[in-house]
Amino acid sequence: MADSSFDIVSKVERQEVDNALNQAAKEISQRYDFKNVGASIAWSGEKILMEANSEDRVKAVLDVFQSKLIKRGISLKALDAGEPQLSGKEYKIFASIQEGISQENAKKVAKIIRDEGPKGVKAQVQGDELRVSSKSRDDLQAVIALLKGQDFDFALQFVNYR
């Protein structure tokens, strides 16, 4: 019998991020506490730019955006937001979306699978994803449960389960 396998990836659907950003922009334009503070949120190339006239307001813009991401099922671990920076009279926060598992993080995950996972489970790093294979599907389910119980500083999804 052939080995069963699945892939561990860290991907974010760009359209969902775009929808969350548009919802946040709409809420910011309509909310009373954001009137006349120059609050805005928009794409700036590959990054997301949040602006307002005070540090507290720009943090509130970030908070609104984070709540929209959560409602759309996107992990906040995928959002890498910087600190508020003063630029002229405006405060700005640049945020980016993290995708892919770095080699270093993939090795950490593979080590956890080797050390704590069931015997006979193999983990291989393939670019920015990790392939986990085993003869037993139950072992693969155990690995998924093990990894869901861990607290990584990046988002994980499990795909191509066969």
Side-chain angles (χ1 to χ4, degrees):
M1 184 173 132
D3 283 3
S4 299
S5 68
F6 68 90
D7 294 335
I8 300 172
V9 298
S10 182
K11 292 197 181 345
V12 175
E13 206 169 313
R14 172 90 178 196
Q15 186 61 49
E16 288 297 329
V17 174
D18 203 36
N19 290 343
L21 185 124
N22 290 336
Q23 286 178 338
K26 185 173 182 182
E27 182 173 322
I28 289 163
S29 70
Q30 293 175 346
R31 260 180 46 179
Y32 178 76
D33 58 335
F34 286 121
K35 293 282 187 229
N36 303 322
V37 296
S40 68
I41 182 170
W43 285 104
S44 173
E46 283 296 306
K47 292 188 181 268
I48 298 162
L49 172 64
M50 293 162 259
E51 294 179 304
N53 66 359
S54 76
E55 189 173 342
D56 292 340
R57 285 284 162 243
V58 80
K59 284 182 178 177
V61 170
L62 175 62
D63 193 48
V64 168
F65 181 54
Q66 287 175 335
S67 70
K68 298 302 178 190
L69 286 174
I70 290 170
K71 282 184 181 172
R72 293 218 152 265
I74 298 170
S75 171
L76 291 183
K77 292 177 180 178
L79 180 70
D80 182 24
E83 289 299 310
Q85 302 167 337
L86 183 60
S87 173
K89 292 184 177 177
E90 295 273 304
Y91 279 88
K92 296 181 179 187
I93 294 179
F94 284 99
S96 60
I97 303 295
Q98 303 288 334
E99 286 199 305
I101 303 173
S102 70
Q103 289 290 327
E104 174 184 315
N105 288 335
K107 286 178 184 172
K108 275 189 215 168
V109 174
K111 182 172 176 12
I112 288 171
I113 292 170
R114 262 196 322 274
D115 295 347
E116 300 176 30
K119 297 282 181 238
V121 175
K122 296 186 290 289
Q124 304 160 311
V125 178
Q126 296 180 336
D128 63 348
E129 58 185 46
L130 198 68
R131 165 80 39 97
V132 179
S133 58
S134 172
K135 292 203 181 304
S136 164
R137 285 179 175 241
D138 291 341
D139 288 350
L140 293 180
Q141 293 287 348
V143 168
I144 290 175
L146 169 73
L147 294 177
K148 283 185 176 178
Q150 299 286 326
D151 185 31
F152 296 109
D153 55 352
F154 52 96
L156 291 180
Q157 291 88 30
F158 306 101
V159 295
N160 294 338
Y161 186 83
R162 37 185 122 110

